[in-house]
Every structure is written in structure tokens, then in C-alpha cells.
Amino acid sequence: MSLTQLRATCTLACLFLAGARTAWAGCTTITFDELSVGTVVTSQYPGVTFSGWNPEGDPAVDPVIYNPNGSTTSEPQCLSASGSVDFSHEFIRIDFDRDQTEVTFTLGVRTGCSESDRVAVRYYEYVNNAYAYRGTFTPYVNGTLPNERVLVFVRVTRPNNQLFRRIEIEGNLAYGCGDRYELIDDLSFDIDNTYPVADITSPDPLGCVCNGSDVIGSAYDPDGGITNYRLERKAPGASSWTLIRSTSTEVINGTLATWTTSAATGYYTLRLTVTNECGLTDEDETVVWLDKSFDNFELRAPAAGAILAGTVCADGTAEDHCGGSFTLEHRPVAGAFAPFDSIYPPWIRNDPLGSWNTLVGTPDGAYEVRLTATDDCGNTVSSPIVPVTIDNTAPVAVISQPTSCTAADGVITVRGTASDANLQNWTLYYTGGPAAGWVQLATGNASVVDGVLKAWNVSALPACCYTLRLVATDAANVNCTGLPHQTEYLVSLDIGAPEPCEGDVDGDGDVDLADLSDLLTNFGIVCP
């Protein structure tokens, strides 16, 4: 069976690589630097057993810690077949405690002649409680310079992830070239080339996170263990990440962390980093909204002290990144709150929030209105209580003196009533004769009840028919229009003559089609 191998020739032996060695990313890597030079290596390292072999039996071969420069303390160190074994085929044997899919190491040969060499690497499967030979490959070692140390990176893999349990490393002997040493270093095994899983499944991207909520997802390795996972957060513009949780415990579709933080409301990036035992990492990021307070909230209308009638409209903002709801309520002063008749769906920004029909079951008087909102994280806000007055009663406007069709001259005392609980003003007008439109006679902003509205001197007016008009206006905002209630009262008079103005057949103070109709049907009939 064939093997895949990576050959990378270096110009320095393993002992000259101290401080710059880069081992293949394996779950277990042995550098042989922990033991003293000359130590026979057998089972000092967990997961693997070393032995030496000489088919001729003499001299015996052991795998020993070796430092080619002769030092007993300096690093780096290698593993070598011991002794001077000319003209024999000694080798180093490596038995693993469990099946392998990939093993890597660096390979060196001490050369003493100007020639090249190949090293046999044999591998065995473990089946039926016995080792079964499966193949050999021969990495090329260039040793053309005397005493040159050469290094080859070797990766042992079998096709289709088939397994092996033993490796043997044997240097080929060339006659007359001096001692040969099988040198190996940086042995990595139990290699895991499968990346771990880092996955944040909740909250959703741009979703809402309540303070103290669980972050859900997965942090595990499907075919091995993990060293740890880290869940971190960072606000936009922040220069560094803040750790939420770090642990070596795997999580599959579960709680990665409970995020309780003093950080302010706003957007944050969550980052999950998972590192497996072989140093491979995977990351997942998502942007979320941390919700620690209600976002936007304002009751703009009705205003405090407003006088309202008909349909009352509430306007403002109730808006949050998370879900939730808001409530509009009203009550008589010192009474119990009741909801508005209509509350519009959340969320709303600078628009009508709801309406209250005060024409049904709402006596005139003092009331209070409030707005309350709660988001899905339980953050609740309430507006100040807003006092308002409900006034669905129109003003009273009556002219009691003079009466309609009265003939008058000189000074006329105009009496009447112009009143309301929330009166804005009243105005007395006249029209007729030479007047073009309504001419103001008097005005006031205090109620008058059966009192004098105006002493009107009509001496200078031409004789004709005239009409008095009294208009009373209250301060109510009716049906959210901004328009008030208004009541008016009309009285027609004959001024400066004992009879009506010519053409004013019906005596209403003006000449119009109604006079023509009366003239045609009741010829000669006029006001008494």
C-alpha cells in the first residue's frame, strides 16, 4: 500500500535548531529534550514505546538520547540508535498504544563520507493481536559533505485514513562511510487534522440579548478533545475583547455561557473560539443587541392641562430593539386606570399611539393619562401622569334682549348669556345695512350669564334691517382636530324705521331668496 510523504531537506542537524524548532501541529509531540544524554528510551513517554533492534544480535542496539555536538546538557537532543554498528542493519522501532492515521517526525543521519543515503521507514498494522507488515518508503537524505548534519521532515499517512500501530526506521549502510546513526526528533502522533466546531446558534444575528441570558451553541471536537473554548464580547470601536467565559468542557447544542455584564445597552460582537488538543482552532462571530434598558420612550400628547373632547389622541414614541408592548391608560382623578379604547401595534416612533372615545361613559371632569412600556427583557418605563380635562359640553350662547323683529333706535341694550366651564371667549357681531360681513361689537373671555353684552348706539346707522350674532367658544380640543366647540345665536332687528328694510320680507335682517319666496306666496305679509 502506498504512503504520502513530505520531504523537506534542511542544512542543519537537529542539535542546531534550538529556539527555532517548529513541530507539526500534533496532539502529542516529543522533543527528547527532557531526558539526559545517553538515557535509554523505552516507555518514558506516555502513548508510545521505543526499542532498538539489530538482526545480527551483536552488538545490542538501544534507542538513546543523543546530542551530536557531544554536550551532555545542551539542547536540542535527538533519539538515536546506540553504538557503532558497521555492516549491520540496526533500526529504531516505535510502537504506539493506539492506532494512528498520521505520524510526523524529523529524520537525520550522521554521515562521514561524500555520498547520499536513503532511510527505510516501515509501517505495520495491528490486527488479530499481532503486527502485520504493510509497506516501506525511503526518504532521501543528502549527506554529500563530510560530517554534515541533514534533516528531513517525514509525514507517515496511509490512504483513506487506514490505521497503523508500528513504525521502524533503518538507515541503509554504505561500506566505508563510518558510523551511521538513525536520528529522529520532534515526533508527533495522535494527530487530529479535523477542526473543532464553534457555533453560536442563539441569539440570532442582530437579535436581542437580555442581561443574564444564556448564549446557546456548540464548542466541541467531533473526533477528539478540546483544550478550551472562549466566549468573548466587544463593543463597536473597542480595541480589545472582553472575556465572558473560558472552559475546557465541551458543549453540544447547549449553554455556552450566561452573559451577566455591567456593559451598557448597545450592539456587541460575540466571538466563540474553540481550540482542540492538536492546536487547531475554529471561530464563530455574531452581532447582537444587549438590552439593559428600554430604548426610546416619550408621551408627547396629550399635554398636561389639556382640555379635550370627543376622541382623545395619544402621540409619542414607544420603541425598543427587543419585542414587547406598551399600554395607554386613563382614569378619573383618584380612580382606577382603564386602557384606551384603541392601542396601535408596537413599535411606534413619533406617531399616534392610541385613542380614547370620551363620548361614551365619560362624564366631564378631571382625568389622568399615562403611558407604560415593557420590552421582552422586562425593562419597564412609565411616563409621568398627565392631568387633562374632558369637556364634551358646548358653550351656551343666547341673546335675550332685544328679541327678533324688534324695531329699535338710539341706544340698544344687548343682554344675554355666553358661558362655559372652560370658556375661551365670546364675541358679539352685527351685520346689515351698509356693513360688509360681520362687524365686531364686543368680546370677552369671562362668562356672562343673563347680563349686559353691549350698550349699542345705533343712531348713526342707516335705517335698515340688521342681525346680531353672539358666538361663544370653549377651550376644548375636539376629536384631535385642534378645533373647539362653538355655539352661536342670531337676532334680527329693524333699526331707524318703524318697518323692515325694503325687500326684507321675512325680517331676518337680509334680503335673499327666502324673501322672494315669502313675497310670492304671502304678498303683503310682513313682520308686525
Side-chain angles (χ1 to χ4, degrees), residues 306-310 312 331-333 356-368 388-395 419-423 474 476-478 485:
I307 301 171
L308 308 170
V312 174
R331 71 176 180 185
V333 173
W356 167 28
N357 181 7
T358 66
L359 295 176
V360 179
T362 309
D364 288 359
Y367 289 81
E368 294 176 331
V388 298
T389 298
I390 300 301
D391 179 7
N392 284 312
T393 302
S419 67
D420 190 85
N422 299 289
L423 184 72
D474 69 11
N477 178 354
V478 180
H485 292 120

mmCIF file of all heavy atoms in Angstrom, residues 306-310 312 331-333 356-368 388-395 419-423 474 476-478 485:
data_model
loop_
_atom_site.group_PDB
_atom_site.id
_atom_site.type_symbol
_atom_site.label_atom_id
_atom_site.label_comp_id
_atom_site.label_asym_id
_atom_site.label_seq_id
_atom_site.Cartn_x
_atom_site.Cartn_y
_atom_site.Cartn_z
ATOM 1 N N ALA A 306 -54.305 69.811 29.252
ATOM 2 C CA ALA A 306 -55.095 69.936 28.036
ATOM 3 C C ALA A 306 -56.575 69.724 28.332
ATOM 4 O O ALA A 306 -56.963 68.946 29.209
ATOM 5 C CB ALA A 306 -54.619 68.929 26.998
ATOM 6 N N ILE A 307 -57.441 70.465 27.599
ATOM 7 C CA ILE A 307 -58.901 70.311 27.664
ATOM 8 C C ILE A 307 -59.316 69.598 26.394
ATOM 9 O O ILE A 307 -59.055 70.083 25.286
ATOM 10 C CB ILE A 307 -59.593 71.676 27.801
ATOM 11 C CG1 ILE A 307 -59.102 72.380 29.076
ATOM 12 C CG2 ILE A 307 -61.101 71.512 27.815
ATOM 13 C CD1 ILE A 307 -59.565 73.818 29.187
ATOM 14 N N LEU A 308 -59.938 68.435 26.552
ATOM 15 C CA LEU A 308 -60.158 67.542 25.421
ATOM 16 C C LEU A 308 -61.635 67.176 25.326
ATOM 17 O O LEU A 308 -62.359 67.166 26.325
ATOM 18 C CB LEU A 308 -59.319 66.280 25.588
ATOM 19 C CG LEU A 308 -57.824 66.512 25.871
ATOM 20 C CD1 LEU A 308 -57.152 65.208 26.261
ATOM 21 C CD2 LEU A 308 -57.143 67.133 24.667
ATOM 22 N N ALA A 309 -62.046 66.816 24.099
ATOM 23 C CA ALA A 309 -63.428 66.419 23.863
ATOM 24 C C ALA A 309 -63.480 65.405 22.737
ATOM 25 O O ALA A 309 -62.580 65.353 21.889
ATOM 26 C CB ALA A 309 -64.270 67.638 23.524
ATOM 27 N N GLY A 310 -64.522 64.587 22.743
ATOM 28 C CA GLY A 310 -64.689 63.602 21.687
ATOM 29 C C GLY A 310 -63.615 62.536 21.774
ATOM 30 O O GLY A 310 -63.393 61.929 22.823
ATOM 31 N N VAL A 312 -59.917 61.377 22.097
ATOM 32 C CA VAL A 312 -58.637 61.862 22.615
ATOM 33 C C VAL A 312 -57.527 61.033 21.976
ATOM 34 O O VAL A 312 -57.562 59.798 22.005
ATOM 35 C CB VAL A 312 -58.584 61.740 24.149
ATOM 36 C CG1 VAL A 312 -57.201 62.099 24.658
ATOM 37 C CG2 VAL A 312 -59.651 62.625 24.781
ATOM 38 N N ARG A 331 -57.854 57.530 33.749
ATOM 39 C CA ARG A 331 -58.682 57.333 34.930
ATOM 40 C C ARG A 331 -59.208 58.679 35.405
ATOM 41 O O ARG A 331 -58.583 59.724 35.178
ATOM 42 C CB ARG A 331 -57.881 56.689 36.051
ATOM 43 C CG ARG A 331 -56.841 57.603 36.675
ATOM 44 C CD ARG A 331 -56.137 56.960 37.846
ATOM 45 N NE ARG A 331 -55.130 57.872 38.432
ATOM 46 C CZ ARG A 331 -54.301 57.526 39.418
ATOM 47 N NH1 ARG A 331 -54.347 56.294 39.913
ATOM 48 N NH2 ARG A 331 -53.427 58.394 39.879
ATOM 49 N N PRO A 332 -60.379 58.693 36.074
ATOM 50 C CA PRO A 332 -60.767 59.895 36.803
ATOM 51 C C PRO A 332 -59.768 60.110 37.937
ATOM 52 O O PRO A 332 -59.163 59.163 38.436
ATOM 53 C CB PRO A 332 -62.156 59.549 37.353
ATOM 54 C CG PRO A 332 -62.603 58.348 36.602
ATOM 55 C CD PRO A 332 -61.361 57.617 36.195
ATOM 56 N N VAL A 333 -59.584 61.344 38.320
ATOM 57 C CA VAL A 333 -58.644 61.620 39.396
ATOM 58 C C VAL A 333 -59.024 60.784 40.616
ATOM 59 O O VAL A 333 -60.180 60.746 41.029
ATOM 60 C CB VAL A 333 -58.634 63.119 39.741
ATOM 61 C CG1 VAL A 333 -57.791 63.380 40.982
ATOM 62 C CG2 VAL A 333 -58.107 63.912 38.551
ATOM 63 N N TRP A 356 -58.912 57.369 22.653
ATOM 64 C CA TRP A 356 -59.890 57.158 23.729
ATOM 65 C C TRP A 356 -61.148 57.944 23.385
ATOM 66 O O TRP A 356 -61.112 59.162 23.266
ATOM 67 C CB TRP A 356 -59.256 57.617 25.044
ATOM 68 C CG TRP A 356 -60.184 57.776 26.218
ATOM 69 C CD1 TRP A 356 -61.348 57.121 26.462
ATOM 70 C CD2 TRP A 356 -59.991 58.672 27.309
ATOM 71 N NE1 TRP A 356 -61.897 57.534 27.625
ATOM 72 C CE2 TRP A 356 -61.079 58.494 28.189
ATOM 73 C CE3 TRP A 356 -59.007 59.596 27.652
ATOM 74 C CZ2 TRP A 356 -61.226 59.224 29.371
ATOM 75 C CZ3 TRP A 356 -59.143 60.312 28.820
ATOM 76 C CH2 TRP A 356 -60.245 60.123 29.675
ATOM 77 N N ASN A 357 -62.264 57.221 23.218
ATOM 78 C CA ASN A 357 -63.541 57.860 22.895
ATOM 79 C C ASN A 357 -64.205 58.301 24.189
ATOM 80 O O ASN A 357 -64.721 57.477 24.957
ATOM 81 C CB ASN A 357 -64.437 56.889 22.136
ATOM 82 C CG ASN A 357 -65.773 57.495 21.756
ATOM 83 O OD1 ASN A 357 -65.997 58.695 21.944
ATOM 84 N ND2 ASN A 357 -66.663 56.675 21.214
ATOM 85 N N THR A 358 -64.223 59.610 24.423
ATOM 86 C CA THR A 358 -64.776 60.146 25.675
ATOM 87 C C THR A 358 -66.270 60.439 25.584
ATOM 88 O O THR A 358 -66.855 60.924 26.558
ATOM 89 C CB THR A 358 -64.036 61.429 26.073
ATOM 90 O OG1 THR A 358 -64.309 62.452 25.100
ATOM 91 C CG2 THR A 358 -62.546 61.186 26.156
ATOM 92 N N LEU A 359 -66.896 60.152 24.428
ATOM 93 C CA LEU A 359 -68.330 60.433 24.282
ATOM 94 C C LEU A 359 -69.187 59.339 24.894
ATOM 95 O O LEU A 359 -70.406 59.505 25.014
ATOM 96 C CB LEU A 359 -68.679 60.589 22.799
ATOM 97 C CG LEU A 359 -68.030 61.788 22.091
ATOM 98 C CD1 LEU A 359 -68.375 61.777 20.605
ATOM 99 C CD2 LEU A 359 -68.456 63.101 22.738
ATOM 100 N N VAL A 360 -68.567 58.215 25.274
ATOM 101 C CA VAL A 360 -69.314 57.093 25.831
ATOM 102 C C VAL A 360 -68.849 56.844 27.261
ATOM 103 O O VAL A 360 -67.693 56.482 27.495
ATOM 104 C CB VAL A 360 -69.129 55.817 24.990
ATOM 105 C CG1 VAL A 360 -69.908 54.658 25.611
ATOM 106 C CG2 VAL A 360 -69.564 56.049 23.547
ATOM 107 N N GLY A 361 -69.740 57.078 28.191
ATOM 108 C CA GLY A 361 -69.463 56.739 29.577
ATOM 109 C C GLY A 361 -68.363 57.551 30.222
ATOM 110 O O GLY A 361 -67.714 57.060 31.152
ATOM 111 N N THR A 362 -68.141 58.773 29.765
ATOM 112 C CA THR A 362 -67.081 59.608 30.322
ATOM 113 C C THR A 362 -67.648 60.968 30.701
ATOM 114 O O THR A 362 -67.732 61.874 29.863
ATOM 115 C CB THR A 362 -65.922 59.794 29.315
ATOM 116 O OG1 THR A 362 -65.519 58.513 28.824
ATOM 117 C CG2 THR A 362 -64.736 60.483 29.967
ATOM 118 N N PRO A 363 -68.076 61.151 31.917
ATOM 119 C CA PRO A 363 -68.593 62.465 32.333
ATOM 120 C C PRO A 363 -67.501 63.520 32.240
ATOM 121 O O PRO A 363 -66.308 63.232 32.365
ATOM 122 C CB PRO A 363 -69.016 62.233 33.791
ATOM 123 C CG PRO A 363 -69.123 60.750 33.946
ATOM 124 C CD PRO A 363 -68.131 60.167 33.003
ATOM 125 N N ASP A 364 -67.923 64.762 32.020
ATOM 126 C CA ASP A 364 -66.964 65.864 32.024
ATOM 127 C C ASP A 364 -66.272 65.928 33.382
ATOM 128 O O ASP A 364 -66.853 65.628 34.424
ATOM 129 C CB ASP A 364 -67.671 67.194 31.754
ATOM 130 C CG ASP A 364 -68.129 67.325 30.314
ATOM 131 O OD1 ASP A 364 -67.871 66.393 29.527
ATOM 132 O OD2 ASP A 364 -68.755 68.345 29.973
ATOM 133 N N GLY A 365 -64.984 66.304 33.329
ATOM 134 C CA GLY A 365 -64.285 66.459 34.591
ATOM 135 C C GLY A 365 -62.790 66.248 34.434
ATOM 136 O O GLY A 365 -62.246 66.203 33.321
ATOM 137 N N ALA A 366 -62.119 66.108 35.565
ATOM 138 C CA ALA A 366 -60.664 65.961 35.598
ATOM 139 C C ALA A 366 -60.278 64.490 35.465
ATOM 140 O O ALA A 366 -60.849 63.624 36.140
ATOM 141 C CB ALA A 366 -60.109 66.544 36.891
ATOM 142 N N TYR A 367 -59.277 64.219 34.619
ATOM 143 C CA TYR A 367 -58.791 62.855 34.375
ATOM 144 C C TYR A 367 -57.263 62.864 34.342
ATOM 145 O O TYR A 367 -56.630 63.924 34.273
ATOM 146 C CB TYR A 367 -59.347 62.309 33.058
ATOM 147 C CG TYR A 367 -60.823 61.986 33.117
ATOM 148 C CD1 TYR A 367 -61.775 62.999 32.975
ATOM 149 C CD2 TYR A 367 -61.271 60.691 33.330
ATOM 150 C CE1 TYR A 367 -63.125 62.726 33.037
ATOM 151 C CE2 TYR A 367 -62.631 60.404 33.393
ATOM 152 C CZ TYR A 367 -63.550 61.424 33.253
ATOM 153 O OH TYR A 367 -64.888 61.141 33.327
ATOM 154 N N GLU A 368 -56.708 61.632 34.360
ATOM 155 C CA GLU A 368 -55.262 61.472 34.259
ATOM 156 C C GLU A 368 -54.943 60.406 33.211
ATOM 157 O O GLU A 368 -55.666 59.411 33.077
ATOM 158 C CB GLU A 368 -54.660 61.060 35.608
ATOM 159 C CG GLU A 368 -54.788 62.156 36.661
ATOM 160 C CD GLU A 368 -54.291 61.716 38.022
ATOM 161 O OE1 GLU A 368 -54.373 60.500 38.323
ATOM 162 O OE2 GLU A 368 -53.841 62.591 38.789
ATOM 163 N N VAL A 388 -55.528 65.904 32.549
ATOM 164 C CA VAL A 388 -56.304 66.505 31.452
ATOM 165 C C VAL A 388 -57.728 66.749 31.950
ATOM 166 O O VAL A 388 -58.145 66.230 32.988
ATOM 167 C CB VAL A 388 -56.328 65.595 30.207
ATOM 168 C CG1 VAL A 388 -54.932 65.381 29.657
ATOM 169 C CG2 VAL A 388 -56.998 64.259 30.510
ATOM 170 N N THR A 389 -58.460 67.551 31.164
ATOM 171 C CA THR A 389 -59.871 67.816 31.460
ATOM 172 C C THR A 389 -60.700 67.371 30.272
ATOM 173 O O THR A 389 -60.388 67.723 29.122
ATOM 174 C CB THR A 389 -60.115 69.306 31.729
ATOM 175 O OG1 THR A 389 -59.357 69.700 32.876
ATOM 176 C CG2 THR A 389 -61.589 69.589 31.971
ATOM 177 N N ILE A 390 -61.732 66.587 30.538
ATOM 178 C CA ILE A 390 -62.665 66.180 29.495
ATOM 179 C C ILE A 390 -63.860 67.129 29.540
ATOM 180 O O ILE A 390 -64.495 67.303 30.587
ATOM 181 C CB ILE A 390 -63.121 64.729 29.677
ATOM 182 C CG1 ILE A 390 -61.905 63.783 29.629
ATOM 183 C CG2 ILE A 390 -64.146 64.345 28.623
ATOM 184 C CD1 ILE A 390 -61.115 63.843 28.350
ATOM 185 N N ASP A 391 -64.147 67.753 28.389
ATOM 186 C CA ASP A 391 -65.246 68.724 28.291
ATOM 187 C C ASP A 391 -65.978 68.466 26.989
ATOM 188 O O ASP A 391 -65.584 68.949 25.932
ATOM 189 C CB ASP A 391 -64.699 70.148 28.335
ATOM 190 C CG ASP A 391 -65.807 71.207 28.216
ATOM 191 O OD1 ASP A 391 -66.991 70.822 28.230
ATOM 192 O OD2 ASP A 391 -65.452 72.399 28.097
ATOM 193 N N ASN A 392 -67.052 67.692 27.068
ATOM 194 C CA ASN A 392 -67.858 67.405 25.890
ATOM 195 C C ASN A 392 -69.116 68.268 25.822
ATOM 196 O O ASN A 392 -70.010 68.007 25.006
ATOM 197 C CB ASN A 392 -68.258 65.929 25.880
ATOM 198 C CG ASN A 392 -67.103 65.035 25.461
ATOM 199 O OD1 ASN A 392 -66.437 65.309 24.467
ATOM 200 N ND2 ASN A 392 -66.856 63.976 26.217
ATOM 201 N N THR A 393 -69.196 69.297 26.654
ATOM 202 C CA THR A 393 -70.366 70.180 26.683
ATOM 203 C C THR A 393 -70.041 71.465 25.934
ATOM 204 O O THR A 393 -69.054 72.148 26.255
ATOM 205 C CB THR A 393 -70.751 70.517 28.122
ATOM 206 O OG1 THR A 393 -71.012 69.299 28.834
ATOM 207 C CG2 THR A 393 -71.987 71.407 28.168
ATOM 208 N N ALA A 394 -70.885 71.788 24.939
ATOM 209 C CA ALA A 394 -70.670 73.004 24.159
ATOM 210 C C ALA A 394 -71.048 74.234 24.988
ATOM 211 O O ALA A 394 -71.872 74.161 25.911
ATOM 212 C CB ALA A 394 -71.502 72.955 22.884
ATOM 213 N N PRO A 395 -70.482 75.399 24.690
ATOM 214 C CA PRO A 395 -70.837 76.627 25.428
ATOM 215 C C PRO A 395 -72.296 77.034 25.209
ATOM 216 O O PRO A 395 -72.941 76.631 24.234
ATOM 217 C CB PRO A 395 -69.883 77.673 24.857
ATOM 218 C CG PRO A 395 -68.913 76.959 23.995
ATOM 219 C CD PRO A 395 -69.472 75.627 23.673
ATOM 220 N N SER A 419 -71.508 81.506 28.201
ATOM 221 C CA SER A 419 -70.830 80.856 29.329
ATOM 222 C C SER A 419 -70.421 79.423 28.982
ATOM 223 O O SER A 419 -71.006 78.783 28.104
ATOM 224 C CB SER A 419 -71.752 80.848 30.554
ATOM 225 O OG SER A 419 -72.876 80.015 30.322
ATOM 226 N N ASP A 420 -69.384 78.941 29.701
ATOM 227 C CA ASP A 420 -68.908 77.563 29.583
ATOM 228 C C ASP A 420 -67.955 77.307 30.740
ATOM 229 O O ASP A 420 -67.299 78.234 31.236
ATOM 230 C CB ASP A 420 -68.193 77.317 28.252
ATOM 231 C CG ASP A 420 -67.901 75.842 28.012
ATOM 232 O OD1 ASP A 420 -68.789 75.137 27.506
ATOM 233 O OD2 ASP A 420 -66.789 75.406 28.353
ATOM 234 N N ALA A 421 -67.877 76.047 31.159
ATOM 235 C CA ALA A 421 -66.943 75.707 32.236
ATOM 236 C C ALA A 421 -65.501 75.984 31.840
ATOM 237 O O ALA A 421 -64.645 76.246 32.687
ATOM 238 C CB ALA A 421 -67.112 74.239 32.623
ATOM 239 N N ASN A 422 -65.232 75.904 30.527
ATOM 240 C CA ASN A 422 -63.870 76.145 30.033
ATOM 241 C C ASN A 422 -63.933 77.142 28.882
ATOM 242 O O ASN A 422 -63.419 76.891 27.784
ATOM 243 C CB ASN A 422 -63.234 74.836 29.587
ATOM 244 C CG ASN A 422 -63.123 73.827 30.709
ATOM 245 O OD1 ASN A 422 -62.332 73.991 31.621
ATOM 246 N ND2 ASN A 422 -63.962 72.785 30.641
ATOM 247 N N LEU A 423 -64.597 78.291 29.156
ATOM 248 C CA LEU A 423 -64.799 79.294 28.114
ATOM 249 C C LEU A 423 -63.458 79.862 27.648
ATOM 250 O O LEU A 423 -62.592 80.209 28.457
ATOM 251 C CB LEU A 423 -65.679 80.427 28.633
ATOM 252 C CG LEU A 423 -66.048 81.495 27.606
ATOM 253 C CD1 LEU A 423 -67.055 80.934 26.600
ATOM 254 C CD2 LEU A 423 -66.607 82.741 28.287
ATOM 255 N N ASP A 474 -65.336 77.493 23.449
ATOM 256 C CA ASP A 474 -64.640 76.954 24.619
ATOM 257 C C ASP A 474 -63.191 76.595 24.259
ATOM 258 O O ASP A 474 -62.749 76.800 23.124
ATOM 259 C CB ASP A 474 -65.388 75.783 25.231
ATOM 260 C CG ASP A 474 -65.390 74.531 24.362
ATOM 261 O OD1 ASP A 474 -64.641 74.491 23.363
ATOM 262 O OD2 ASP A 474 -66.125 73.579 24.683
ATOM 263 N N ALA A 476 -61.777 73.543 24.417
ATOM 264 C CA ALA A 476 -61.581 72.108 24.189
ATOM 265 C C ALA A 476 -60.960 71.832 22.819
ATOM 266 O O ALA A 476 -61.200 72.561 21.853
ATOM 267 C CB ALA A 476 -62.916 71.382 24.310
ATOM 268 N N ASN A 477 -60.116 70.743 22.768
ATOM 269 C CA ASN A 477 -59.614 70.197 21.506
ATOM 270 C C ASN A 477 -60.543 69.047 21.148
ATOM 271 O O ASN A 477 -60.519 67.990 21.774
ATOM 272 C CB ASN A 477 -58.181 69.720 21.670
ATOM 273 C CG ASN A 477 -57.615 69.101 20.402
ATOM 274 O OD1 ASN A 477 -58.306 68.907 19.412
ATOM 275 N ND2 ASN A 477 -56.338 68.751 20.447
ATOM 276 N N VAL A 478 -61.372 69.248 20.123
ATOM 277 C CA VAL A 478 -62.432 68.301 19.798
ATOM 278 C C VAL A 478 -61.941 67.324 18.740
ATOM 279 O O VAL A 478 -61.488 67.730 17.668
ATOM 280 C CB VAL A 478 -63.691 69.044 19.305
ATOM 281 C CG1 VAL A 478 -64.798 68.038 18.973
ATOM 282 C CG2 VAL A 478 -64.163 70.041 20.350
ATOM 283 N N HIS A 485 -65.285 73.633 20.605
ATOM 284 C CA HIS A 485 -66.736 73.769 20.470
ATOM 285 C C HIS A 485 -67.077 75.243 20.245
ATOM 286 O O HIS A 485 -66.451 76.120 20.847
ATOM 287 C CB HIS A 485 -67.451 73.322 21.758
ATOM 288 C CG HIS A 485 -67.344 71.855 22.042
ATOM 289 N ND1 HIS A 485 -66.765 71.353 23.178
ATOM 290 C CD2 HIS A 485 -67.789 70.775 21.332
ATOM 291 C CE1 HIS A 485 -66.846 70.033 23.181
ATOM 292 N NE2 HIS A 485 -67.466 69.654 22.063
#
